[in-house]
Amino acid sequence: MANTNAMIGDAVGRDANVRAMEEANSGLEGALKTLNVRISGDDVKSRKALYKAYEEKMLPSIKQDYPGLRLTQYKDKIFNLWKKSRENPANQVE
């Protein structure tokens, strides 16, 4: 029995769960910390700037390929191309 108590520790059942919850991070910040994800404000701004430049570059060619669409439809097509583009930082392998 002493060996079993040594493996389990002092906290058993509800006490163990309460202690684990107190030690764990909760909320969005805790989840991001657990996953080691960090997003800086500069990173978000640079990604938005890259997308905006890509959109401005692609808009004339998309308008030529698909005449008569609404601006939102052009932007949807450009966004779908952006998701697959090499210029998208999310698609670049480090």
PDB file of all heavy atoms in Angstrom, residues 54-72:
ATOM      1  N   TYR A  54      -0.651  42.350 -52.212  1.00  0.00           N
ATOM      2  CA  TYR A  54      -0.994  41.252 -53.121  1.00  0.00           C
ATOM      3  C   TYR A  54      -2.337  41.539 -53.799  1.00  0.00           C
ATOM      4  O   TYR A  54      -2.490  41.335 -55.001  1.00  0.00           O
ATOM      5  CB  TYR A  54      -1.048  39.940 -52.343  1.00  0.00           C
ATOM      6  CG  TYR A  54      -1.390  38.730 -53.177  1.00  0.00           C
ATOM      7  CD1 TYR A  54      -0.424  38.098 -53.936  1.00  0.00           C
ATOM      8  CD2 TYR A  54      -2.684  38.209 -53.199  1.00  0.00           C
ATOM      9  CE1 TYR A  54      -0.717  36.980 -54.697  1.00  0.00           C
ATOM     10  CE2 TYR A  54      -2.996  37.104 -53.953  1.00  0.00           C
ATOM     11  CZ  TYR A  54      -2.005  36.490 -54.701  1.00  0.00           C
ATOM     12  OH  TYR A  54      -2.310  35.384 -55.464  1.00  0.00           O
ATOM     13  N   GLU A  55      -3.293  42.029 -53.015  1.00  0.00           N
ATOM     14  CA  GLU A  55      -4.615  42.344 -53.553  1.00  0.00           C
ATOM     15  C   GLU A  55      -4.528  43.437 -54.621  1.00  0.00           C
ATOM     16  O   GLU A  55      -5.137  43.315 -55.689  1.00  0.00           O
ATOM     17  CB  GLU A  55      -5.523  42.794 -52.410  1.00  0.00           C
ATOM     18  CG  GLU A  55      -6.948  43.033 -52.796  1.00  0.00           C
ATOM     19  CD  GLU A  55      -7.779  43.458 -51.601  1.00  0.00           C
ATOM     20  OE1 GLU A  55      -7.770  44.663 -51.273  1.00  0.00           O
ATOM     21  OE2 GLU A  55      -8.421  42.584 -51.001  1.00  0.00           O
ATOM     22  N   GLU A  56      -3.759  44.471 -54.344  1.00  0.00           N
ATOM     23  CA  GLU A  56      -3.606  45.555 -55.312  1.00  0.00           C
ATOM     24  C   GLU A  56      -2.906  45.081 -56.586  1.00  0.00           C
ATOM     25  O   GLU A  56      -3.216  45.546 -57.686  1.00  0.00           O
ATOM     26  CB  GLU A  56      -2.836  46.715 -54.683  1.00  0.00           C
ATOM     27  CG  GLU A  56      -3.639  47.455 -53.637  1.00  0.00           C
ATOM     28  CD  GLU A  56      -2.820  48.498 -52.892  1.00  0.00           C
ATOM     29  OE1 GLU A  56      -1.619  48.678 -53.221  1.00  0.00           O
ATOM     30  OE2 GLU A  56      -3.377  49.132 -51.989  1.00  0.00           O
ATOM     31  N   LYS A  57      -1.974  44.159 -56.431  1.00  0.00           N
ATOM     32  CA  LYS A  57      -1.255  43.628 -57.586  1.00  0.00           C
ATOM     33  C   LYS A  57      -2.150  42.732 -58.445  1.00  0.00           C
ATOM     34  O   LYS A  57      -2.105  42.770 -59.674  1.00  0.00           O
ATOM     35  CB  LYS A  57      -0.031  42.837 -57.113  1.00  0.00           C
ATOM     36  CG  LYS A  57       0.791  42.233 -58.235  1.00  0.00           C
ATOM     37  CD  LYS A  57       1.958  41.443 -57.687  1.00  0.00           C
ATOM     38  CE  LYS A  57       1.457  40.073 -57.289  1.00  0.00           C
ATOM     39  NZ  LYS A  57       2.533  39.143 -56.960  1.00  0.00           N
ATOM     40  N   MET A  58      -2.998  41.944 -57.800  1.00  0.00           N
ATOM     41  CA  MET A  58      -3.808  40.953 -58.510  1.00  0.00           C
ATOM     42  C   MET A  58      -5.125  41.501 -59.063  1.00  0.00           C
ATOM     43  O   MET A  58      -5.678  40.940 -60.010  1.00  0.00           O
ATOM     44  CB  MET A  58      -4.123  39.776 -57.585  1.00  0.00           C
ATOM     45  CG  MET A  58      -2.915  38.962 -57.192  1.00  0.00           C
ATOM     46  SD  MET A  58      -2.089  38.196 -58.583  1.00  0.00           S
ATOM     47  CE  MET A  58      -3.314  37.036 -59.124  1.00  0.00           C
ATOM     48  N   LEU A  59      -5.647  42.582 -58.499  1.00  0.00           N
ATOM     49  CA  LEU A  59      -6.960  43.086 -58.889  1.00  0.00           C
ATOM     50  C   LEU A  59      -7.087  43.375 -60.387  1.00  0.00           C
ATOM     51  O   LEU A  59      -8.062  42.928 -61.007  1.00  0.00           O
ATOM     52  CB  LEU A  59      -7.342  44.306 -58.052  1.00  0.00           C
ATOM     53  CG  LEU A  59      -8.768  44.800 -58.208  1.00  0.00           C
ATOM     54  CD1 LEU A  59      -9.769  43.713 -57.835  1.00  0.00           C
ATOM     55  CD2 LEU A  59      -8.998  46.040 -57.365  1.00  0.00           C
ATOM     56  N   PRO A  60      -6.134  44.047 -61.020  1.00  0.00           N
ATOM     57  CA  PRO A  60      -6.292  44.301 -62.463  1.00  0.00           C
ATOM     58  C   PRO A  60      -6.346  43.019 -63.313  1.00  0.00           C
ATOM     59  O   PRO A  60      -7.163  42.922 -64.232  1.00  0.00           O
ATOM     60  CB  PRO A  60      -5.049  45.126 -62.818  1.00  0.00           C
ATOM     61  CG  PRO A  60      -4.598  45.724 -61.542  1.00  0.00           C
ATOM     62  CD  PRO A  60      -4.970  44.752 -60.478  1.00  0.00           C
ATOM     63  N   SER A  61      -5.518  42.030 -62.970  1.00  0.00           N
ATOM     64  CA  SER A  61      -5.529  40.802 -63.773  1.00  0.00           C
ATOM     65  C   SER A  61      -6.809  39.988 -63.537  1.00  0.00           C
ATOM     66  O   SER A  61      -7.345  39.386 -64.468  1.00  0.00           O
ATOM     67  CB  SER A  61      -4.297  39.952 -63.488  1.00  0.00           C
ATOM     68  OG  SER A  61      -4.305  39.502 -62.160  1.00  0.00           O
ATOM     69  N   ILE A  62      -7.320  39.989 -62.320  1.00  0.00           N
ATOM     70  CA  ILE A  62      -8.564  39.269 -62.033  1.00  0.00           C
ATOM     71  C   ILE A  62      -9.737  39.967 -62.719  1.00  0.00           C
ATOM     72  O   ILE A  62     -10.632  39.308 -63.255  1.00  0.00           O
ATOM     73  CB  ILE A  62      -8.796  39.167 -60.506  1.00  0.00           C
ATOM     74  CG1 ILE A  62      -7.726  38.295 -59.864  1.00  0.00           C
ATOM     75  CG2 ILE A  62     -10.174  38.633 -60.187  1.00  0.00           C
ATOM     76  CD1 ILE A  62      -7.767  36.840 -60.272  1.00  0.00           C
ATOM     77  N   LYS A  63      -9.730  41.299 -62.729  1.00  0.00           N
ATOM     78  CA  LYS A  63     -10.791  42.031 -63.421  1.00  0.00           C
ATOM     79  C   LYS A  63     -10.777  41.729 -64.911  1.00  0.00           C
ATOM     80  O   LYS A  63     -11.824  41.634 -65.549  1.00  0.00           O
ATOM     81  CB  LYS A  63     -10.638  43.541 -63.195  1.00  0.00           C
ATOM     82  CG  LYS A  63     -11.171  44.021 -61.881  1.00  0.00           C
ATOM     83  CD  LYS A  63     -11.134  45.538 -61.814  1.00  0.00           C
ATOM     84  CE  LYS A  63     -11.799  46.037 -60.550  1.00  0.00           C
ATOM     85  NZ  LYS A  63     -11.844  47.493 -60.489  1.00  0.00           N
ATOM     86  N   GLN A  64      -9.581  41.569 -65.459  1.00  0.00           N
ATOM     87  CA  GLN A  64      -9.469  41.256 -66.877  1.00  0.00           C
ATOM     88  C   GLN A  64      -9.946  39.829 -67.167  1.00  0.00           C
ATOM     89  O   GLN A  64     -10.605  39.583 -68.171  1.00  0.00           O
ATOM     90  CB  GLN A  64      -8.013  41.423 -67.320  1.00  0.00           C
ATOM     91  CG  GLN A  64      -7.805  41.353 -68.802  1.00  0.00           C
ATOM     92  CD  GLN A  64      -6.357  41.638 -69.158  1.00  0.00           C
ATOM     93  OE1 GLN A  64      -5.443  41.304 -68.411  1.00  0.00           O
ATOM     94  NE2 GLN A  64      -6.165  42.279 -70.303  1.00  0.00           N
ATOM     95  N   ASP A  65      -9.642  38.894 -66.267  1.00  0.00           N
ATOM     96  CA  ASP A  65     -10.043  37.497 -66.463  1.00  0.00           C
ATOM     97  C   ASP A  65     -11.537  37.280 -66.237  1.00  0.00           C
ATOM     98  O   ASP A  65     -12.147  36.417 -66.868  1.00  0.00           O
ATOM     99  CB  ASP A  65      -9.261  36.583 -65.520  1.00  0.00           C
ATOM    100  CG  ASP A  65      -7.783  36.518 -65.867  1.00  0.00           C
ATOM    101  OD1 ASP A  65      -7.414  36.898 -66.997  1.00  0.00           O
ATOM    102  OD2 ASP A  65      -6.998  36.082 -64.993  1.00  0.00           O
ATOM    103  N   TYR A  66     -12.119  38.024 -65.311  1.00  0.00           N
ATOM    104  CA  TYR A  66     -13.530  37.862 -64.958  1.00  0.00           C
ATOM    105  C   TYR A  66     -14.247  39.207 -65.014  1.00  0.00           C
ATOM    106  O   TYR A  66     -14.558  39.804 -63.977  1.00  0.00           O
ATOM    107  CB  TYR A  66     -13.671  37.276 -63.545  1.00  0.00           C
ATOM    108  CG  TYR A  66     -13.002  35.948 -63.350  1.00  0.00           C
ATOM    109  CD1 TYR A  66     -11.717  35.866 -62.799  1.00  0.00           C
ATOM    110  CD2 TYR A  66     -13.631  34.764 -63.699  1.00  0.00           C
ATOM    111  CE1 TYR A  66     -11.098  34.649 -62.613  1.00  0.00           C
ATOM    112  CE2 TYR A  66     -13.014  33.548 -63.521  1.00  0.00           C
ATOM    113  CZ  TYR A  66     -11.745  33.500 -62.976  1.00  0.00           C
ATOM    114  OH  TYR A  66     -11.129  32.284 -62.790  1.00  0.00           O
ATOM    115  N   PRO A  67     -14.552  39.711 -66.176  1.00  0.00           N
ATOM    116  CA  PRO A  67     -15.218  41.023 -66.259  1.00  0.00           C
ATOM    117  C   PRO A  67     -16.662  40.943 -65.765  1.00  0.00           C
ATOM    118  O   PRO A  67     -17.321  39.906 -65.870  1.00  0.00           O
ATOM    119  CB  PRO A  67     -15.165  41.345 -67.751  1.00  0.00           C
ATOM    120  CG  PRO A  67     -15.040  40.034 -68.430  1.00  0.00           C
ATOM    121  CD  PRO A  67     -14.294  39.140 -67.492  1.00  0.00           C
ATOM    122  N   GLY A  68     -17.137  42.041 -65.198  1.00  0.00           N
ATOM    123  CA  GLY A  68     -18.535  42.139 -64.806  1.00  0.00           C
ATOM    124  C   GLY A  68     -18.863  41.667 -63.408  1.00  0.00           C
ATOM    125  O   GLY A  68     -20.032  41.669 -63.027  1.00  0.00           O
ATOM    126  N   LEU A  69     -17.876  41.291 -62.608  1.00  0.00           N
ATOM    127  CA  LEU A  69     -18.163  40.868 -61.233  1.00  0.00           C
ATOM    128  C   LEU A  69     -18.200  42.082 -60.307  1.00  0.00           C
ATOM    129  O   LEU A  69     -17.731  43.159 -60.648  1.00  0.00           O
ATOM    130  CB  LEU A  69     -17.086  39.896 -60.736  1.00  0.00           C
ATOM    131  CG  LEU A  69     -16.973  38.550 -61.451  1.00  0.00           C
ATOM    132  CD1 LEU A  69     -15.852  37.740 -60.824  1.00  0.00           C
ATOM    133  CD2 LEU A  69     -18.272  37.790 -61.412  1.00  0.00           C
ATOM    134  N   ARG A  70     -18.764  41.881 -59.134  1.00  0.00           N
ATOM    135  CA  ARG A  70     -18.752  42.928 -58.116  1.00  0.00           C
ATOM    136  C   ARG A  70     -17.389  42.920 -57.424  1.00  0.00           C
ATOM    137  O   ARG A  70     -16.672  41.934 -57.447  1.00  0.00           O
ATOM    138  CB  ARG A  70     -19.836  42.665 -57.078  1.00  0.00           C
ATOM    139  CG  ARG A  70     -21.221  42.740 -57.657  1.00  0.00           C
ATOM    140  CD  ARG A  70     -22.249  42.590 -56.547  1.00  0.00           C
ATOM    141  NE  ARG A  70     -23.559  42.456 -57.140  1.00  0.00           N
ATOM    142  CZ  ARG A  70     -24.374  41.449 -56.918  1.00  0.00           C
ATOM    143  NH1 ARG A  70     -24.033  40.471 -56.109  1.00  0.00           N
ATOM    144  NH2 ARG A  70     -25.560  41.406 -57.496  1.00  0.00           N
ATOM    145  N   LEU A  71     -17.074  44.042 -56.768  1.00  0.00           N
ATOM    146  CA  LEU A  71     -15.785  44.166 -56.100  1.00  0.00           C
ATOM    147  C   LEU A  71     -15.596  43.080 -55.045  1.00  0.00           C
ATOM    148  O   LEU A  71     -14.504  42.516 -54.909  1.00  0.00           O
ATOM    149  CB  LEU A  71     -15.644  45.557 -55.469  1.00  0.00           C
ATOM    150  CG  LEU A  71     -14.313  45.845 -54.775  1.00  0.00           C
ATOM    151  CD1 LEU A  71     -13.152  45.726 -55.761  1.00  0.00           C
ATOM    152  CD2 LEU A  71     -14.336  47.222 -54.140  1.00  0.00           C
ATOM    153  N   THR A  72     -16.656  42.765 -54.301  1.00  0.00           N
ATOM    154  CA  THR A  72     -16.529  41.721 -53.275  1.00  0.00           C
ATOM    155  C   THR A  72     -16.225  40.362 -53.907  1.00  0.00           C
ATOM    156  O   THR A  72     -15.497  39.558 -53.328  1.00  0.00           O
ATOM    157  CB  THR A  72     -17.808  41.619 -52.429  1.00  0.00           C
ATOM    158  OG1 THR A  72     -18.927  41.399 -53.285  1.00  0.00           O
ATOM    159  CG2 THR A  72     -18.024  42.873 -51.608  1.00  0.00           C
TER     160      THR A  72
END
